[in-house]
Amino acid sequence: MLKVVAPLTARQFQRAIIMPNLKPPVRTLQEAAHYRERIMEAIPGDISFTPLMTLYLTDQTTSEEIEASHASGFVKACKLYPAGATTNSAFGVTSMEKVSTALRTMEQVGMVLCIHGESTAPGVDIFDKEAEFVSAVLPKVLTDFPNLKIVLEHVTTMQAVDLVLKTPGNRLAATITAHHLLYSRQAIFEGAKIHPHMFCLPVLKRELHRQALLKAILNDADGKLFAGTDSAPHPESSKICSEGCAGIFTGHAAVELYAEAFEEAGALLKLEAFLSENGAKFYGLDLNDDRLTLRKSPHVGPLKIIVPGSDPIVPLRSGQSIAWTLSSDENS
């Protein structure tokens, strides 16, 4: 799977924050280094790509592990998954109190905290989990750790973007996926059918929340929002089965799909900053020098992405039109 999807990502992005929720998760510097090596081995030699690694934060993560990982230079963040919130999150954080020492260390050394911002409190509706986390959990984290830089990953609600845009300074940012910009929850149930390939976590929300995301990318004056694809490659058999799994694969055409969303929002002039500048500045990275050229020329997405030795991946827009196309011709 890695040998198939890593080159697809590298053809779209020169670097990426690599999430650690594998089986087993990436919890130590040694595991992050090994995963990084496997990614680089999967990238063709003619493509420049830098994986920016993360550690999977657990109740047992030590200050020493964070300090060593930060000193490595290639581990850029820790990812906080509330235990049970999403794919492969069973080892995640059970309470914020249990990671307070780790968060204090991250604050001291300047390591970014990436958060899957969904509540796992009993009785919270699946469509309200992000709003509940944003109102009940995140404000206390911001208060208790005033110098901790936080990325609220793959936000989906008006509550999340409102908090991010209103928080003063450069301490809270958010990523948004292409699929949450393009689709509402209606896509899961279109035509009185269930469409498992449109099921992800955080789940797609009501249209009013999608419109709030589109408005936010247009009105983001301070560069607090940037790309985070949350592109999730699952074999077709894992998506279509008695239990199913969460995840939408966009790695084959993420830039083009973002362009569609930004065009809909009337925000094409902000696309470059969203894709290439805001995230780099938040993480303290130099901007890349190379260019991508987008043409307003439709193409048809692949029906399936073949994975040798496994079932194929069914990507977003399988066999359907994508309005923009990446081009190597800078005169296009």
Side-chain angles (χ1 to χ4, degrees), residues 142 146 163-172 222 224:
L142 291 169
L163 177 64
V164 170
L165 295 181
K166 287 183 177 179
T167 298
N170 187 36
R171 54 178 304 211
L172 179 63
D222 298 317
K224 290 174 173 283

Side-chain angles (χ1 to χ4, degrees), residues 151-265:
V151 179
L152 194 57
E153 295 289 352
H154 44 59
V155 295
T156 65
T157 61
M158 62 176 65
Q159 291 91 342
V161 290
D162 185 60
L163 177 64
V164 170
L165 295 181
K166 287 183 177 179
T167 298
N170 187 36
R171 54 178 304 211
L172 179 63
T175 63
I176 309 179
T177 77
H179 46 281
H180 285 104
L181 288 169
L182 291 169
Y183 295 96
S184 70
R185 66 185 185 183
Q186 182 65 23
I188 306 172
F189 309 104
E190 198 73 50
K193 299 177 181 178
I194 294 177
H195 299 273
H197 296 296
M198 297 304 298
F199 174 54
C200 59
L201 290 173
V203 70
L204 297 174
K205 301 300 194 296
R206 294 173 62 186
E207 177 64 14
L208 65 90
H209 290 292
R210 190 181 79 88
Q211 291 297 327
L213 299 183
L214 293 174
K215 183 178 178 181
I217 61 174
L218 179 63
N219 295 329
D220 178 21
D222 298 317
K224 290 174 173 283
L225 305 176
F226 44 89
T229 65
D230 199 30
S231 181
H234 293 292
E236 185 176 16
S237 59
S238 296
K239 295 289 291 181
I240 304 176
C241 61
S242 59
E243 292 183 357
C245 64
I248 294 176
F249 186 74
T250 59
H252 64 301
V255 170
E256 296 98 319
L257 292 167
Y258 275 123
E260 278 194 26
F262 272 69
E263 184 177 30
E264 179 184 349

Side-chain angles (χ1 to χ4, degrees), residues 12-248:
Q12 299 251 326
F13 301 98
Q14 198 167 45
R15 59 190 167 203
I17 294 289
I18 309 298
M19 292 307 172
N21 55 328
L22 305 183
K23 288 184 177 181
V26 179
R27 290 169 285 188
T28 67
L29 172 60
Q30 183 178 4
E31 291 167 349
H34 179 59
Y35 187 22
R36 182 174 180 268
E37 289 174 3
R38 293 197 293 119
I39 292 169
M40 294 308 297
E41 288 172 358
I43 303 296
D46 61 339
I47 298 178
S48 174
F49 181 74
T50 302
L52 308 172
M53 308 308 294
T54 63
L55 293 189
Y56 188 114
L57 195 64
T58 75
D59 292 350
Q60 292 77 39
T61 302
T62 66
S63 295
E64 292 77 14
E65 196 68 58
I66 289 170
E67 290 168 350
S69 297
H70 178 69
S72 74
F74 62 82
V75 177
K76 298 299 183 182
C78 285
K79 178 69 179 285
L80 190 158
Y81 298 95
T86 189
T87 304
N88 298 340
S89 62
F91 293 91
V93 173
T94 61
S95 75
M96 298 305 295
E97 289 74 20
K98 291 185 177 180
V99 292
S100 60
T101 299
L103 296 183
R104 186 70 65 199
T105 303
M106 292 176 62
E107 185 180 40
Q108 291 169 353
V109 302
M111 181 176 278
V112 173
L113 174 67
C114 300
I115 300 180
H116 179 104
E118 290 195 287
S119 171
T120 55
V124 179
D125 187 279
I126 188 172
F127 293 103
D128 298 328
K129 288 180 180 293
E130 180 175 286
E132 176 69 14
F133 185 92
V134 166
S135 65
V137 180
L138 188 55
K140 188 174 188 305
V141 178
L142 291 169
T143 299
D144 291 348
F145 306 96
N147 296 311
L148 180 63
K149 296 190 74 171
I150 298 172
V151 179
L152 194 57
E153 295 289 352
H154 44 59
V155 295
T156 65
T157 61
M158 62 176 65
Q159 291 91 342
V161 290
D162 185 60
L163 177 64
V164 170
L165 295 181
K166 287 183 177 179
T167 298
N170 187 36
R171 54 178 304 211
L172 179 63
T175 63
I176 309 179
T177 77
H179 46 281
H180 285 104
L181 288 169
L182 291 169
Y183 295 96
S184 70
R185 66 185 185 183
Q186 182 65 23
I188 306 172
F189 309 104
E190 198 73 50
K193 299 177 181 178
I194 294 177
H195 299 273
H197 296 296
M198 297 304 298
F199 174 54
C200 59
L201 290 173
V203 70
L204 297 174
K205 301 300 194 296
R206 294 173 62 186
E207 177 64 14
L208 65 90
H209 290 292
R210 190 181 79 88
Q211 291 297 327
L213 299 183
L214 293 174
K215 183 178 178 181
I217 61 174
L218 179 63
N219 295 329
D220 178 21
D222 298 317
K224 290 174 173 283
L225 305 176
F226 44 89
T229 65
D230 199 30
S231 181
H234 293 292
E236 185 176 16
S237 59
S238 296
K239 295 289 291 181
I240 304 176
C241 61
S242 59
E243 292 183 357
C245 64
I248 294 176

